[in-house]
Amino acid sequence: MNLRDAVEHWLDHLIAARSLAGNTLKAYQRDLEEFARFIESEHLDWQTFGATGTHHFAQVLQKTHTPRSAARKLSALRTFYRHALVQGWAGGVPPARTRTLPSADRGLPRILSVAQTAKLIESTASPLELAVLELLYATGIKAGELCELRVRDVAFAEAYLSVQPAAAPPRVVPMGEPALAAVEAYLGSEPVLPERWLFVGRQNRPLNRFHIYRIVREAAVRSAIDWPVTPDTLRHSFAVHLLEGGADLATVRELLGHASLATTGIYTRLARNYAAGRPRADSTPNHPG
């Protein structure tokens, strides 16, 4: 049986045997399509694909995906191979028995330098993208929090932002002049209702997290940054750069909206590595939220 037929059989099996959400099945399908393209490009035999091949595939994934995304794709691959082994389609040392990536929550997040951050922001292709990147970096807010902002949450005269997360206390975060100017330029001179979503796309619909991730990712590509940059990268960079500038940990915790100072403590270690010229440390128990 060829690989693509085997994948179709596996997906049919999942539909019949497990009540999986449609999005989960689509994600599995995309993950295995990527694997199939890898097998074809490398001229490999998927039926004897083992530990060495898995390690090579993992290295390829790490170049273009975040650790969490790469780990998920390998997990889908292992699940598929368990089915293939039961069906008698594959042999050798199965990927299900190999460990090629650390778990996604190990390893400190990577940080942009101040110069990289400036280059990222300068690479924006529209007033909307500029306002999004400036605001993410100037305030350290999450992508989801950014999507929930309305025009009324921006105090233009005082240059601060009111952030109101669904599952956490509201907080006030200074914006800084560059971010404020970018937001004002994006909104333009026409009157805007306070209740309107701050960042909207087509038909005035609010941007979602995927839009924000795409804006950041495309700016990183234009900036020739060869590792995955996400909105959280800007959040982490914001915190480290604040500490490097002399801010205390309690202030950073308040700005980020962390419930515990222990969560914010990771940035002390990141700041030490940043000062030493290392983009991140070797390992840590958890990423901050």
Side-chain angles (χ1 to χ4, degrees):
M1 178 176 288
N2 66 51
L3 175 56
R4 293 184 183 275
D5 286 344
V7 169
E8 288 299 319
H9 186 283
W10 175 58
L11 293 172
D12 289 343
H13 167 76
L14 292 179
I15 293 171
R18 300 162 64 181
S19 299
L20 296 178
N23 288 341
T24 302
L25 287 169
K26 288 179 181 178
Y28 279 152
Q29 185 174 21
R30 288 194 299 269
D31 292 341
L32 269 297
E33 285 175 353
E34 185 169 357
F35 174 65
R37 290 194 297 270
F38 166 78
I39 288 290
E40 291 166 359
S41 66
E42 297 294 321
H43 306 290
L44 298 174
D45 181 358
W46 78 271
Q47 292 177 302
T48 58
F49 189 77
T52 301
T54 307
H55 181 69
H56 181 32
F57 183 50
Q59 290 179 320
V60 171
L61 290 176
Q62 286 176 305
K63 293 178 181 178
T64 55
H65 298 281
T66 64
R68 186 177 300 277
S69 176
R72 192 203 72 234
K73 290 175 182 295
L74 286 179
S75 176
L77 181 63
R78 289 191 290 268
T79 303
F80 163 71
Y81 263 92
R82 281 197 293 269
H83 178 73
L85 287 167
V86 169
Q87 297 297 320
W89 300 333
V93 180
R97 297 178 188 174
T98 65
R99 297 188 64 181
T100 58
L101 284 177
S103 62
D105 64 351
R106 294 175 63 185
L108 287 170
R110 195 160 185 173
I111 300 300
L112 292 167
S113 68
V114 173
Q116 285 176 318
T117 306
K119 188 175 181 181
L120 184 82
I121 292 173
E122 290 168 0
S123 75
T124 52
S126 69
L128 167 62
E129 293 182 9
L130 178 60
V132 165
L133 291 183
E134 284 279 15
L135 209 55
L136 284 172
Y137 177 60
T139 63
I141 62 176
K142 298 179 180 179
E145 293 172 338
L146 186 106
C147 294
E148 293 298 319
L149 291 174
R150 294 182 184 267
V151 174
R152 67 176 182 228
D153 296 321
V154 182
F156 292 95
E158 297 83 5
Y160 70 77
L161 197 66
S162 295
V163 184
Q164 303 180 45
R171 65 188 190 276
V172 173
V173 186
M175 292 174 60
E177 288 302 323
L180 178 61
V183 171
E184 288 178 332
Y186 158 65
L187 291 175
S189 58
E190 295 297 322
V192 181
L193 293 175
E195 296 299 317
R196 203 205 80 173
W197 299 102
L198 180 58
F199 293 113
V200 296
R202 294 177 180 176
Q203 299 178 342
N204 282 333
R205 293 181 178 177
L207 298 189
N208 58 38
R209 292 165 58 94
F210 299 105
H211 292 127
I212 305 304
Y213 272 76
R214 187 175 68 246
I215 287 171
V216 175
R217 184 173 63 247
E218 290 177 353
V221 170
R222 288 193 297 267
S223 304
I225 299 173
D226 60 357
W227 48 274
V229 178
T230 70
D232 275 347
T233 305
L234 289 169
R235 177 174 167 86
H236 301 322
S237 302
F238 159 82
V240 171
H241 296 169
L242 277 179
L243 290 174
E244 281 293 296
D248 60 82
L249 203 59
T251 299
V252 175
R253 171 204 170 188
E254 183 178 348
L255 293 175
L256 293 177
H258 286 163
S260 168
L261 192 62
T263 305
T264 318
I266 188 177
Y267 294 113
T268 302
R269 184 175 176 187
L270 274 171
R272 287 198 301 267
N273 291 324
Y274 178 78
R278 300 193 300 271
R280 60 184 171 191
D282 295 326
S283 63
T284 191
N286 292 291
H287 285 187

